[in-house]
Amino acid sequence: MASHLIFGAGLIGCYLGGCFSALGIDVQLLCRPTIKKKLLNGITLTDYQDNTATTDQIKFCESEVTFTVIWLTVKCTAVEQACRELRPYVGGNSIIFCCQNGLGADQIVSKHFPD
């Protein structure tokens, strides 16, 4: 079974993490302590069609282990720094998905992780 890491828990990262968690997918969030504190009681997800899902099953990444799938959800301006911080979580078979609203993030990630 794949293990998922959400690197960056802003709007996109929290939404992905909440959806995955609500679906029973093994996911951990790596985020700032202030964000973690806000998420300790779970996440309520909503959308424009008034659908709602709540999960209190949020897991946080507490140790440097490798993940099968990494969702990079930081802003475009933070991708370079994020790649340096991601190194301990990337294994030989890890897949990194760039979830930025902009161009060029994939090139930065490929520079740091050419495989």
Side-chain angles (χ1 to χ4, degrees):
M1 178 155 79
S3 59
H4 295 259
L5 173 67
I6 308 275
F7 189 94
L11 181 64
I12 301 299
C14 285
Y15 189 80
L16 283 173
C19 287
F20 291 169
S21 181
L23 292 170
I25 296 171
D26 181 22
V27 62
Q28 295 181 37
L29 274 66
L30 187 62
C31 56
R32 295 183 193 123
T34 54
I35 300 297
K36 180 179 176 180
K37 185 177 178 181
K38 292 178 183 180
L39 299 175
L40 287 176
N41 294 320
I43 295 176
T44 298
L45 305 167
T46 60
D47 68 15
Y48 71 97
Q49 295 180 328
D50 295 326
N51 295 307
T52 302
T54 302
T55 181
D56 59 357
Q57 305 278 330
I58 302 301
K59 293 186 207 171
F60 300 97
C61 184
E62 303 291 343
S63 61
E64 294 181 346
V65 297
T66 60
F67 289 84
T68 309
V69 182
I70 299 170
W71 300 84
L72 183 60
T73 61
V74 299
K75 291 180 174 35
C76 283
T77 56
V79 171
E80 185 74 43
Q81 178 63 34
C83 285
R84 290 190 287 274
E85 295 172 14
L86 266 179
R87 188 143 316 273
Y89 307 100
V90 177
N93 294 319
S94 297
I95 298 169
I96 302 172
F97 286 98
C98 299
C99 301
Q100 284 70 42
N101 184 9
L103 301 173
D106 58 324
Q107 295 167 351
I108 297 169
V109 172
S110 292
K111 179 182 78 174
H112 286 271
F113 303 102
D115 296 328

